[in-house]
Amino acid sequence: MDFLILTGMSGAGKSQALKALEDIGFFCVDNLPPALIAKFCEMLLEARSGPQRFAAVVDVRSRGSFDELFAAMDQLKASGVSVKIVFLDAADNILVNRYKETRRRHPLMIEGVNTVAEAIGKERLILSSLREQADYIIDSSMLSASQLREMITRLLDREHGEGLMINCTSFGYKYGLPEDADLVFDVRVLPNPFYNEEMRPKTGLDEEVSHYVLGFPQTQELLSRIMELVLYMLPFYKKEGKSYLVIAIGCTGGHHRSVATAEELAKRLGAQKISAVTNHRDFKK
């Protein structure tokens, strides 16, 4: 039996993730109060027939103490159930913009909380313990709804998700390191397309920029060495039980060199039959 806790920031994509989980066979319950977790787990353990994959959304709407949730998870683990937490996150400015676009009200917009930004800050504090305990942290800042659903599917689908999945994330150093990065590689040493006026407004997803960045011998050498290191380390990560690895590739602004390199790294990993996806954090900075 698999039991998944889906949680994270409001506006980070939990509804889309829930749909993806349903599509791959999870029985899903939304907005489950922590106080009911223990009873829900008891019912799951008694009903061994029927669905064997369950997911419950627990977030700021649920209210109550998360201590009850952690106690229930321990109970399930002691019974031999596989229990995981998936935490969906996004940059604060992205969350604010999503609320502006949808005109929805943040669940913490109650008395004493007057702005979406203030509600987001309060929500981060409330969910901090869940984030610390999460098995998977997915940053949906630059993911479309379909990309998020694909990532959830590849991460958790038994048919396609066995083994370790790698997220090759590009970023700009000027905006800080990705918080969820496991390995970080600096490609600011590579020739920069930014200084070419024709390529400056484009990104590493454009063929012209990608061809420019990947066309240098030092880029190919760097990619080969990164691949060699990653392939060497993967067995150690798997031995530690890790099933989701974030490899962050950084350049100055996160538009050109890091994007092209992350895309090429994911392609090379795929050629080795290693599940890999890409995420470009700083396109809209």
Side-chain angles (χ1 to χ4, degrees):
M1 181 184 290
D2 296 332
F3 186 75
L4 183 73
I5 299 295
L6 180 62
T7 185
M9 300 296 293
S10 301
K14 292 192 293 292
S15 296
Q16 293 298 326
L18 205 62
K19 292 177 183 177
L21 291 172
E22 289 176 340
D23 289 344
I24 59 176
F26 277 83
F27 177 82
C28 300
V29 179
D30 191 14
N31 194 16
L32 188 64
L36 297 180
I37 289 285
K39 185 62 178 179
F40 183 65
C41 293
E42 182 181 328
M43 294 170 58
L44 296 183
L45 293 172
E46 290 177 355
R48 288 290 181 175
S49 59
Q52 293 296 297
R53 310 186 79 192
F54 300 88
V57 176
V58 178
D59 54 28
V60 291
R61 299 170 300 161
S62 305
R63 308 297 180 183
S65 170
F66 293 132
D67 290 340
E68 296 169 294
L69 169 63
F70 297 137
M73 291 175 60
D74 290 338
Q75 175 189 339
L76 278 175
K77 291 177 181 178
S79 302
V81 177
S82 173
V83 183
K84 301 288 185 183
I85 297 177
V86 174
F87 191 101
L88 296 183
D89 205 348
D92 287 1
N93 64 311
I94 298 294
L95 295 174
V96 170
N97 287 336
R98 287 176 182 174
Y99 271 99
K100 286 182 179 178
E101 290 170 0
T102 62
R103 298 185 180 181
R104 292 177 55 222
R105 178 174 146 177
H106 191 283
L108 292 183
M109 290 286 288
I110 54 179
E111 185 177 352
V113 179
N114 299 315
T115 67
V116 173
E118 186 179 352
I120 290 170
K122 185 175 181 180
E123 184 178 25
R124 287 203 181 280
L125 289 175
I126 294 173
L127 297 179
S128 59
S129 60
L130 279 174
R131 197 180 197 281
E132 290 173 1
Q133 296 289 329
D135 298 278
Y136 311 111
I137 298 175
I138 299 177
D139 187 338
S140 68
S141 298
M142 305 312 300
L143 298 178
S144 66
S146 60
Q147 287 173 327
L148 176 59
R149 292 182 67 169
E150 179 187 3
M151 184 173 290
I152 291 290
T153 299
R154 295 181 67 174
L155 185 62
L156 297 167
D157 188 3
R158 279 177 175 163
E159 182 178 352
H160 302 104
E162 293 185 2
L164 188 147
M165 191 182 84
I166 297 178
N167 182 353
C168 299
T169 296
S170 70
F171 72 96
Y173 274 96
K174 65 191 296 184
Y175 306 115
L177 292 170
E179 292 184 2
D180 57 345
D182 296 295
L183 294 171
V184 179
F185 296 101
D186 185 352
V187 297
R188 288 175 294 182
V189 296
L190 301 178
N192 193 352
F194 177 83
Y195 296 110
N196 183 304
E197 291 186 4
E198 293 184 359
M199 288 188 279
R200 184 177 301 169
K202 299 180 180 180
T203 75
L205 294 179
D206 292 297
E207 184 177 354
E208 180 184 0
V209 176
S210 177
H211 182 75
Y212 176 88
V213 173
L214 300 178
F216 291 94
Q218 55 265 48
T219 306
Q220 295 298 317
E221 178 69 18
L222 180 59
L223 276 163
S224 296
R225 289 177 180 269
I226 291 175
M227 275 293 296
E228 183 179 357
L229 177 61
V230 171
L231 293 176
Y232 171 76
M233 295 185 68
L234 284 184
F236 299 107
Y237 282 118
K238 291 178 180 178
K239 186 177 179 180
E240 290 297 316
K242 196 169 183 65
S243 54
Y244 182 65
L245 185 72
V246 178
I247 299 178
I249 311 290
C251 63
T252 304
H255 283 200
H256 301 106
R257 293 167 292 180
S258 60
V259 174
T261 306
E263 287 288 331
E264 179 63 18
L265 180 60
K267 187 183 301 183
R268 294 190 183 195
L269 289 167
Q272 296 287 327
K273 307 300 182 183
I274 298 169
S275 182
V277 296
T278 56
N279 177 34
H280 305 300
R281 192 192 71 177
D282 293 326
F283 267 10
K284 295 184 180 180
K285 291 290 187 180

